[in-house]
Amino acid sequence: MDIAGVRVRRRTLSAALAASAVSAAAGCASTADDVVNAVKPPDRGTVGISMPTKKQTRWIADGENMVKQFTLLGYKTTLEFSEDSVQDQVTKLDGMIGAGVKALLIGAVDGSALTQVLAKAAAAKIPTIAYDRLIRDTGDLSYYATFDNFKVGVLQANAIVDFLGLATPGGRPVTVEIFAGSPDDNNATVFYNGAMSVLRPYIAAGRLLVRSGETTFDQVATKGWDGAKAKTRMARILAAGYPTVVLDGVLAPNDGIARGILEALTEAGYGTPAKKLPVLTGQDAELESVKLIAKGQQTQTVYKDTRELAKVAVQMTNALLTGGEPRINDTTQYNNGVKTVPTFLLQPVNVDKNNYRRVLVDGGYYKAAEIDG
Ligand code: GAL
């Protein structure tokens, strides 16, 4: 980003010098001040970016993409991560408000824990944008930029339906276990609802069996999106419910959780010709999981192009700060308990062994060597 910033500044400088040369040639008086003013990069102030954690690599990419794009528009940025600590995030947001940032972009650790700090931002006339995760219980949130979260769940469940051939009538009942994300993340419920909208009819018809009996959100949620917790739960379920019966599918809400589940499965003897790994979903197209897809160990992931989300959030912020109207495409789905937040929804993309090269390599998200290496 520094390099890009320098490049922009250089271009501005040569443009300004060229302009002053033209005006000198045209006989206009050109003072030293004119030149200095013209070469100053536009100073649009600092934007605060608060990401929840570095534990999932996607947030690092999200943060860096936003910094790059804000820099090109002439903004400075403060980018902070909070390692999933609510208190740390609130303290860092407080600090940014105190430092006089022009706007705040927030990927919340806990979507229900920011009411007070957003009130402070509002009092200081700092607009706030919820990044990827909705911020709840506040009237002070200006906008929300995210992916179609319900569709994420639908794509995950469709992978289970497709790879297990559930739509073909007359097949044997197959076994599945269900995992969801962190209860403090609003998205987790939306992903779960999307997935269950597809799976519930199969469960009701007896085509899908959940031998643990754990199907409600509270029963299947994974606090902190913690892969280790998911591994422990998977191991417990395998030991109790699948001593001889084989598990055919697992709905995992993201890649980190899928990898935890995969460890438990492998330790329980799955992944041999006699005991094939179950169909296993994911989300975020993290490099480690895309490698597992290439090797046939994880079945699917949901790709959310963080470059596009960053672009939308940056454009929203820039519009707000320059007196424009941010572009939105949803005004109904995201009520945060106080208001329905104007939202821009991007489309998530299903990725599996059949299309990962086309989507992720041809799309420039990863290099082939990164995946195969
Ligand atoms: C969600 C996000 C997912 C995934 C998950 C784990 O809020 O929408 O893409 O990253 O958090 O961090």
Side-chain angles (χ1 to χ4, degrees):
M1 95 213 139
D2 284 337
I3 297 173
V6 168
R7 226 185 282 134
V8 169
R9 207 170 301 169
R10 280 220 191 102
R11 230 182 284 136
T12 321
L13 176 62
S14 35
L17 292 176
S20 73
V22 168
S23 53
C28 306
S30 168
T31 66
D33 272 356
D34 287 340
V35 177
V36 169
N37 287 335
V39 298
K40 251 197 221 154
D43 183 4
R44 302 196 162 174
T46 301
V47 171
I49 304 169
S50 170
M51 294 288 104
T53 180
K54 286 187 176 175
K55 278 188 207 138
Q56 285 92 25
T57 50
R58 65 152 295 186
W59 300 115
I60 304 172
D62 283 284
E64 287 173 355
N65 285 331
M66 278 191 275
V67 168
K68 256 184 226 158
Q69 291 170 27
F70 274 124
T71 306
L72 288 173
L73 290 173
Y75 294 93
K76 294 190 191 68
T77 50
T78 303
L79 168 63
E80 307 264 26
F81 295 85
S82 286
E83 288 318 285
D84 284 327
S85 157
V86 175
Q87 193 42 58
D88 184 78
Q89 185 162 46
V90 170
T91 307
K92 283 178 171 155
L93 287 169
D94 258 333
M96 292 190 214
I97 295 168
V101 293
K102 295 277 183 259
L104 283 171
L105 290 105
I106 306 169
V109 172
D110 178 339
S112 302
L114 300 178
T115 312
Q116 282 177 13
V117 78
L118 256 58
K120 273 194 207 165
K125 301 221 162 18
I126 300 170
T128 40
I129 293 176
Y131 186 85
D132 196 73
R133 298 174 169 174
L134 184 62
I135 300 174
R136 301 191 56 82
D137 308 329
T138 172
D140 295 320
L141 179 64
S142 317
Y143 285 89
Y144 180 31
T146 191
F147 287 84
D148 184 336
N149 293 303
F150 191 86
K151 187 165 170 198
V152 169
V154 169
L155 292 177
Q156 292 167 334
N158 280 345
I160 291 192
V161 170
D162 291 347
F163 282 92
L164 290 178
L166 293 182
T168 317
R172 69 172 175 96
V174 297
T175 54
V176 72
E177 291 296 335
I178 293 160
F179 286 73
S182 193
D184 49 11
D185 176 352
N186 190 69
N187 287 355
T189 319
V190 187
F191 300 147
Y192 167 84
N193 287 340
M196 291 309 275
S197 73
V198 174
L199 298 182
R200 224 175 248 121
Y202 291 103
I203 297 174
R207 185 83 167 84
L208 266 186
L209 302 177
V210 184
R211 287 177 63 88
S212 69
E214 297 175 4
T215 56
T216 66
F217 180 79
D218 289 349
Q219 288 171 322
V220 303
T222 314
K223 179 90 181 93
W225 294 91
D226 184 348
K229 286 201 174 72
K231 178 180 175 182
T232 306
R233 177 167 173 254
M234 183 79 267
R236 168 176 64 74
I237 289 175
L238 287 172
Y242 299 84
T244 50
V245 184
V246 168
L247 177 60
D248 299 308
V250 185
L251 175 80
N254 83 340
D255 286 345
I257 287 178
R259 292 195 297 270
I261 292 169
L262 186 60
E263 278 180 32
L265 288 162
T266 315
E267 285 171 19
Y270 283 82
T272 63
K275 205 173 175 189
K276 283 198 315 190
L277 283 167
V279 169
L280 177 61
T281 64
Q283 175 179 194
D284 289 336
E286 290 190 351
L287 185 56
E288 247 189 281
S289 283
V290 176
K291 287 181 180 179
L292 293 172
I293 290 176
K295 283 197 233 153
Q297 296 182 337
Q298 182 173 321
T299 315
Q300 182 258 10
T301 188
V302 178
Y303 168 51
K304 297 157 72 160
D305 189 341
T306 50
R307 297 167 301 186
E308 291 303 314
L309 184 58
K311 224 181 268 169
V312 167
V314 169
Q315 277 163 10
M316 268 184 175
T317 314
N318 189 43
L320 275 173
L321 294 180
T322 53
E325 277 277 309
R327 206 155 66 85
I328 51 170
N329 60 10
D330 182 274
T331 51
T332 59
Q333 282 189 65
Y334 285 97
N335 189 292
N336 74 351
V338 177
K339 69 189 258 195
T340 301
V341 185
T343 298
F344 193 94
L345 289 178
L346 284 154
Q347 285 306 306
V349 175
N350 177 72
V351 165
D352 56 37
K353 65 173 190 291
N354 300 314
N355 70 350
Y356 76 91
R357 278 189 193 277
R358 181 167 54 74
V359 176
L360 300 174
V361 178
D362 300 352
Y365 204 65
Y366 293 127
K367 296 198 174 61
E370 289 177 291
I371 297 173
D372 301 327

